[in-house]
């Protein structure tokens, strides 16, 4: 259950390019916070597209995720 939305099931996280084409996607249980699942998704992105250096995200991806992305993957969020 997602504590904020009170929805049972899964969350779908995707990374798209500027045209909306899906680059990477993952699903997680609904109780996993967005920023925690995003780290694993970002790791897959770096392997597939190592030239990407900046991504744009909404405020759901906050906290240590931004610093870890910069430190571990050299990507600005």
């Amino acid at each position: 259950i997602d504590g904020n939305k009170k929805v049972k099931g899964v969350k779908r996280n995707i990374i798209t390019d500027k045209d909306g084409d899906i680059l990477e996607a993952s699903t997680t249980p609904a109780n996993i916070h967005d920023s925690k699942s995003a780290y694993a998704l970002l790791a897959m992105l770096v392997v597939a597209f190592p030239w990407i250096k900046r991504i744009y995200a909404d405020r759901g991806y906050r906290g240590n995720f931004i610093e870890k992305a910069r430190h571990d993957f050299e990507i600005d969020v």
Side-chain angles (χ1 to χ4, degrees):
I1 297 175
D2 181 340
N4 293 325
K5 297 178 183 171
K6 309 291 189 229
V7 176
K8 294 181 182 180
V10 297
K11 284 186 181 178
R12 294 161 197 90
N13 296 290
I14 61 169
I15 297 178
T16 65
D17 65 7
K18 64 181 182 172
D19 297 323
D21 298 324
I22 296 175
L23 302 177
E24 292 292 337
S26 70
T27 58
T28 59
N31 64 345
I32 303 294
H33 192 272
D34 293 338
S35 58
K36 291 187 178 168
S37 61
Y39 187 80
L41 187 61
L42 190 57
M44 293 189 307
L45 179 77
V46 169
V47 170
F49 304 97
W51 58 87
I52 294 177
K53 297 298 178 191
R54 177 176 292 156
I55 61 172
Y56 295 93
D58 66 14
R59 291 186 182 190
Y61 301 96
R62 62 184 181 272
N64 291 339
F65 171 69
I66 295 170
E67 289 83 25
K68 287 176 75 174
R70 186 174 296 129
H71 179 266
D72 296 347
F73 305 119
E74 297 178 358
I75 291 181
D76 290 327
V77 178

